[in-house]
Amino acid sequence: MIRALLAVLAAYALIAPARAETPWTLVKTYPHDPTAFTEGLFYHDGALYESTGLEGHSDIRKVALKSGKVLQRRVVDPPYFGEGIVNWKDRLVSLTWRHRRGFVWSLADFAPQGEFRYEGEGWALTQDGRHIIMSDGTAQLRFLDPDSLAEQRRITVTWNGRAVQRLNELEYVRGEIWANIWYDTRIARIDPASGAVIDWIDIAPLRAKAGVTDSEAVANGIAYDAARDRIFVTGKYWPKLFEIRVETRPRG
């Protein structure tokens, strides 16, 4: 009887819908370039670093948080469609969508320093202090050696046993990997060891507050200021960037 009950509960867990239960509050609103097709975002030494996509319109930029002013910019030449970015030591690493080619730049002045290859598509990057973590639009996350950029391992992201597809922009926050889901307003909080989704953060009210109506103006962009425990989120073509406070419970 007990085994039968456990089987029923397990079956229900596999079909239970994803709910967003992690609470958040809006702290501040900042200006954001409404023409930016945001693909990657991170915070470093008092500034935001952002990459934008679309062939012929892709770039990497350093942005002042309070004003949204572009302080530094590097164009990613056609035919490349720029994707995610991440910092590692004195370098900035960037992806391209379908050309299976990534680039390495100087973090200080965006001067080109090299390139690397990967299989499949390139979507987003983050880092946990030991690895660079990459999404490719599937349910898998790749862990790369930060120096050689060679793939070391993968995890599959799941919710109640089901693969979570369309993992997009990434950020490493408080020991978790956070991921935007393409065409979704929810952010997945992912256990980096197992790939299991711990919970969801739904930022649909922020998309509404941004006032965007274009179907391509999806939530995409998470940045974390670890020193001050600040979280920033935005989206493609959003005229605003939001600082939010998110209450997460320790995993245990």
Side-chain angles (χ1 to χ4, degrees), residues 132-200:
I132 287 178
I133 305 166
M134 170 183 169
S135 65
D136 59 13
T138 70
Q140 293 195 324
L141 295 176
R142 311 179 190 189
F143 287 71
L144 312 181
D145 179 279
D147 295 312
S148 69
L149 299 172
E151 183 179 334
Q152 296 182 314
R153 64 185 178 93
R154 298 189 184 198
I155 59 172
T156 299
V157 176
T158 60
W159 170 252
N160 289 331
R162 292 186 175 184
V164 178
Q165 304 288 343
R166 308 190 317 276
L167 300 173
N168 207 349
E169 221 277 307
L170 304 174
E171 186 62 69
Y172 192 75
V173 182
R174 303 171 185 162
E176 303 171 356
I177 303 169
W178 289 15
N180 286 118
I181 310 298
W182 191 34
Y183 283 114
D184 200 320
T185 57
R186 293 171 304 157
I187 295 171
R189 295 173 48 207
I190 302 162
D191 182 334
S194 67
V197 173
I198 301 160
D199 197 13
W200 302 85

Side-chain angles (χ1 to χ4, degrees), residues 31-171:
H32 180 252
D33 181 359
T35 69
F37 197 76
T38 305
E39 297 290 358
L41 190 71
F42 68 84
Y43 182 91
H44 177 71
D45 279 355
L48 290 167
Y49 290 76
E50 183 173 10
S51 63
T52 67
L54 300 176
E55 185 178 327
H57 298 276
S58 299
D59 68 11
I60 295 166
R61 51 180 73 176
K62 181 178 180 180
V63 180
L65 171 63
K66 291 184 179 180
S67 67
K69 179 182 177 181
V70 177
L71 304 173
Q72 188 171 300
R73 183 170 179 261
R74 177 85 191 196
V75 172
V76 179
D77 294 329
Y80 298 112
F81 186 120
E83 286 281 352
I85 54 172
V86 70
N87 61 306
W88 182 261
K89 297 179 180 177
D90 61 349
R91 300 181 298 160
L92 185 147
V93 181
S94 72
L95 299 175
T96 62
W97 183 23
R98 289 179 167 171
H99 282 85
R100 303 183 179 185
R101 178 175 291 180
F103 298 102
V104 180
W105 317 86
S106 164
L107 183 61
D109 60 7
F110 298 165
Q113 292 191 342
E115 59 181 66
F116 63 104
R117 302 288 248 171
Y118 48 85
E119 290 303 312
E121 296 183 356
W123 282 43
L125 295 170
T126 190
Q127 55 115 328
D128 62 2
R130 295 175 299 163
H131 315 91
I132 287 178
I133 305 166
M134 170 183 169
S135 65
D136 59 13
T138 70
Q140 293 195 324
L141 295 176
R142 311 179 190 189
F143 287 71
L144 312 181
D145 179 279
D147 295 312
S148 69
L149 299 172
E151 183 179 334
Q152 296 182 314
R153 64 185 178 93
R154 298 189 184 198
I155 59 172
T156 299
V157 176
T158 60
W159 170 252
N160 289 331
R162 292 186 175 184
V164 178
Q165 304 288 343
R166 308 190 317 276
L167 300 173
N168 207 349
E169 221 277 307
L170 304 174
E171 186 62 69

